[in-house]
Amino acid sequence: MMNPKFLLALGAVFLVAACGEKPQTVAVKPGQSAAKPDDKPYQNDQFKGDRAAWERTLRARADNQNEYKRVN
Amino acid sequence: MARMKFICDAERCIECNGCVTACKNEHDVPWGVNRRRVVTLNDGIVGAERSISVACMHCSDAPCKAVCPVNCFYTTDDGVVLHDKDLCIGCGYCFYACPFGAPQFPQAGAFGLRGKMDKCTFCAGGPEKDTSKAETEKYGRNRLAEGKLPACAEMCSTKALLAGDGDVLSDIYRERVMRRGRGGDLWGHATAYGVKASAAPAPVQPAPTQQKS
């Protein structure tokens, strides 16, 4: 004969088994991304949300790819 | 506003695969996945053989984004096309749609089971907290948030591969073409970023048909 408390606990486990499941349906809307929102690349300690400073840094690096400017 | 683009100058590429190696190393890309590849055009034809470095071109009107059944793609304010790996179901539609063969699929198990899609991120990470461990593990290093350009372009020894704001790249490329006097064609540029209305051929007007009365 099994312990009734054990049976009760076992039943409770089966009853709450699905409680930890996350919904897996994706609400797809045409033309709209379902991806999580992404941080802006300038929202960090280095650029402190200053988009212009970030753009200046990248522009300087991109300009540096021009060896005519670097050599002459 | 910056509009990030890649340009590969076929006149300069020496097929060294430095860009491929730089990308692999920077993002710890798994075996079998190549975010960037070097392709040879007109192979064996003397004088016409060229090499180009190909990866996701971050198209203006990205076909991968259009065909994704779970809409996991998004375009950042800077024109970088990224995707959410938590949503990707590995269906492979994006691979069939992409004209550059950019989407890559790691083998996730037996019988050729595909894992979540992986592609070039323009070194901009993905939809996780910037420079976090989760972002690095899923998408690779976020160099853009560090104020740096993609590793492949910065590593290119001949500067055949250029990355950055489209306006800056146009200036660099224009100067090159003016100086050498040839090689103005950019492979894949029109496919990825479209053709200017002035350069596009005029649409053919259908001849007026006479209706029978």
Side-chain angles (χ1 to χ4, degrees):
Chain A
M1 179 82 186
M2 290 184 86
N3 189 342
K5 281 183 181 173
F6 174 73
L7 281 176
L8 204 64
L10 197 68
V13 165
F14 278 109
L15 279 174
V16 299
C19 291
E21 279 196 7
K22 292 177 183 173
Q24 295 186 17
T25 46
V26 177
V28 178
K29 292 175 188 167
Q32 205 174 353
S33 176
K36 292 191 291 283
D38 193 6
D39 293 344
K40 306 286 183 207
Y42 45 86
Q43 283 170 342
N44 49 40
D45 293 341
Q46 189 179 345
F47 297 104
K48 297 178 175 61
D50 187 352
R51 187 184 169 94
W54 176 73
E55 281 192 5
R56 269 198 307 278
T57 310
L58 278 186
R59 183 170 275 266
R61 274 185 102 99
D63 261 336
N64 207 31
Q65 295 177 113
N66 188 358
E67 67 280 329
Y68 292 121
K69 272 192 186 172
R70 282 189 285 152
V71 173
N72 299 326
Chain B
M1 182 185 283
R3 166 63 173 100
M4 298 302 171
K5 287 181 182 179
F6 276 124
I7 276 182
C8 187
D9 188 347
E11 297 287 319
R12 284 195 177 203
C13 181
I14 56 169
E15 207 182 342
C16 70
N17 278 283
C19 49
V20 177
T21 313
C23 176
K24 275 258 183 194
N25 181 56
E26 192 76 352
H27 306 298
D28 276 333
V29 182
W31 179 255
V33 173
N34 286 300
R35 290 185 179 183
R36 182 166 282 286
R37 303 165 314 284
V38 176
V39 176
T40 305
L41 307 171
N42 304 323
D43 200 357
I45 302 172
V46 178
E49 193 173 296
R50 298 281 183 279
S51 292
I52 43 161
S53 178
V54 188
C56 173
M57 294 288 276
H58 303 277
C59 302
S60 303
D61 188 11
C64 53
K65 200 172 155 183
V67 299
C68 180
V70 292
N71 278 2
C72 74
F73 289 90
Y74 63 101
T75 306
T76 68
D77 296 343
D78 318 299
V80 180
V81 178
L82 299 173
H83 72 297
D84 189 340
K85 279 194 181 178
D86 292 342
L87 291 178
C88 177
I89 55 172
C91 66
Y93 287 9
C94 50
F95 176 76
Y96 295 115
C98 177
F100 301 103
Q104 303 277 303
F105 293 88
Q107 195 178 334
F111 312 114
L113 180 66
R114 276 191 295 237
K116 291 173 185 295
M117 189 272 278
D118 191 89
K119 74 171 191 73
C120 160
T121 61
F122 207 88
C123 287
E128 296 288 346
K129 185 170 169 38
D130 279 356
T131 65
S132 65
K133 192 176 174 227
E135 187 185 53
T136 310
E137 279 177 358
K138 280 186 202 168
Y139 307 100
R141 188 172 160 194
N142 191 340
R143 290 172 59 90
L144 234 55
E146 298 169 13
K148 296 171 184 168
L149 291 172
C152 51
E154 296 216 303
M155 189 64 77
C156 183
S157 55
T158 58
K159 288 286 164 264
L161 184 63
L162 302 172
D165 186 12
D167 292 343
V168 180
L169 300 193
S170 297
D171 290 345
I172 297 173
Y173 198 68
R174 194 179 305 113
E175 188 176 357
R176 272 186 198 179
V177 174
M178 293 291 280
R179 287 194 184 229
R180 69 186 176 207
R182 63 190 161 82
D185 300 327
L186 276 175
W187 187 90
H189 201 263
T191 309
Y193 309 123
V195 184
K196 279 185 184 172
S198 57
V204 179
Q205 297 293 330
T209 51
Q210 287 183 337
Q211 286 185 334
K212 286 180 183 175
S213 55

